[in-house]
Amino acid sequence: MRKKIVAGNWKMNLDYQDGVSLFSEVVNMAKDEIVGDQQVVVCSPFIHLHSIAQLAKTASHVAVGAQNIHQAESGAYTGEISASQIKSIGVEYVILGHSERRAYFGETNALLSEKVDAALKRGLLPIFCIGETKEERESGKFFDVIKTQLEEAVFHLSKEEFSKVVLAYEPVWAIGTGLTASPEQAQEVHAFIRATVAAQYDQSVADETSILYGGSCNPKNAGELFAQADIDGGLIGGASLKSRDFLDIVKVFNK
């Protein structure tokens, strides 16, 4: 059975006190309301990680993730943070390849390949993001874009290494825009991703790979999206900043 995962990406939001308060709400609600074995992951700014990782120890369903790492183990990289530093405070996951990192900070597939290796070397589980822009969607090139992102950043991994990677399909045109891929559009791409993984490795690896949908997912549309055969959860942006909305998305898997 593939793991069902709902991951929240707080992005650059919430001061320290507000973040710890929100995470405490999520933990307490998860203890009371989650029925099943779905995994909740909260990916916060660095300032919250140590404190919320301690709180996460009290809830079996909840884990903590970072939003980025540097590819080097250590060194003269002012303002950066390494996989080993993140791992040392109890963080389990890290988001890599988010479209905002690609667009605003120039992260390439080659660089992301190094970051994936750094994460896995230190025992972090990458949530690796892939997806197309509006122009790439409209030109019909989106399958090629997604395949290239996979080939250049994660397909160098062995089967064992790849089994630790969670994929997240995020149509860039639907992030923060209020637009959402229809369940049919999302399923089409998720099925393509799974088939591409099967072609690279084998069907058993593909069948065990969790693929999340991200892109304006909210409590109203999560049920339809998560009901699709190849969608195993969500990478949630804005809705993860409200504990009630976030847990309502998680609870889709209770049904």
Side-chain angles (χ1 to χ4, degrees), residues 42-68:
V42 172
C43 299
S44 80
F46 294 129
I47 63 166
H48 307 102
L49 288 176
H50 181 267
S51 294
I52 68 174
Q54 300 306 306
L55 292 172
K57 293 178 180 179
T58 67
S60 59
H61 289 285
V62 184
V64 171
Q67 297 176 17
N68 183 39

Side-chain angles (χ1 to χ4, degrees), residues 151 154-157 159 162 194-202:
E151 288 175 341
V154 294
F155 277 178
H156 66 286
L157 300 173
K159 285 184 181 181
F162 186 81
R194 201 173 305 283
T196 303
V197 172
Q200 175 66 23
Y201 296 101
D202 58 39

Side-chain angles (χ1 to χ4, degrees), residues 1-224:
M1 290 287 291
R2 294 192 295 270
K3 184 177 288 187
K4 303 297 185 182
I5 301 170
V6 178
N9 178 12
W10 289 358
K11 305 190 180 184
M12 195 176 71
N13 292 295
L14 304 175
D15 64 19
Y16 176 76
Q17 295 296 340
D18 287 343
V20 172
S21 177
L22 173 59
F23 189 81
S24 297
E25 291 176 11
V26 169
V27 166
N28 290 331
M29 293 166 77
K31 290 177 182 177
D32 293 338
E33 299 180 26
I34 292 180
V35 178
D37 59 358
Q38 60 264 47
Q39 176 74 68
V40 178
V41 183
V42 172
C43 299
S44 80
F46 294 129
I47 63 166
H48 307 102
L49 288 176
H50 181 267
S51 294
I52 68 174
Q54 300 306 306
L55 292 172
K57 293 178 180 179
T58 67
S60 59
H61 289 285
V62 184
V64 171
Q67 297 176 17
N68 183 39
I69 55 169
H70 193 273
Q71 65 273 22
E73 175 64 20
S74 62
Y77 302 103
T78 301
E80 295 295 322
I81 194 161
S82 71
S84 59
Q85 289 173 321
I86 291 297
K87 184 67 176 178
S88 72
I89 57 172
V91 173
E92 296 181 51
Y93 289 82
V94 60
I95 297 172
L96 295 174
H98 193 280
S99 63
E100 292 160 1
R101 296 295 310 178
R102 295 175 188 263
Y104 304 152
F105 302 98
E107 295 195 355
T108 64
N109 292 327
L111 174 63
L112 292 168
S113 176
E114 294 182 45
K115 290 192 174 191
V116 167
D117 289 346
L120 292 172
K121 180 180 179 181
R122 291 300 172 186
L124 293 174
L125 304 176
I127 300 174
F128 187 75
C129 302
I130 51 181
E132 79 281 6
T133 64
K134 183 179 180 182
E135 292 74 22
E136 290 162 344
R137 160 64 63 167
E138 291 176 346
S139 69
K141 297 178 180 178
F142 54 98
F143 285 148
D144 292 336
V145 169
I146 290 165
K147 185 177 181 182
T148 298
Q149 290 171 340
L150 290 168
E151 288 175 341
E152 295 184 355
V154 294
F155 277 178
H156 66 286
L157 300 173
S158 67
K159 285 184 181 181
E160 181 181 1
E161 291 168 331
F162 186 81
S163 70
K164 299 171 185 176
V165 175
V166 176
L167 298 178
Y169 168 58
E170 292 202 312
V172 180
W173 47 271
I175 299 174
T177 64
L179 300 174
T180 308
S182 70
E184 294 76 21
Q185 286 175 317
Q187 167 58 23
E188 178 187 36
V189 178
H190 279 242
F192 171 78
I193 294 167
R194 201 173 305 283
T196 303
V197 172
Q200 175 66 23
Y201 296 101
D202 58 39
Q203 191 60 51
S204 64
V205 172
D207 288 342
E208 292 298 314
T209 300
S210 295
I211 309 175
L212 314 183
Y213 173 78
S216 298
C217 185
N218 58 61
K220 293 181 179 179
N221 61 29
E224 278 191 299

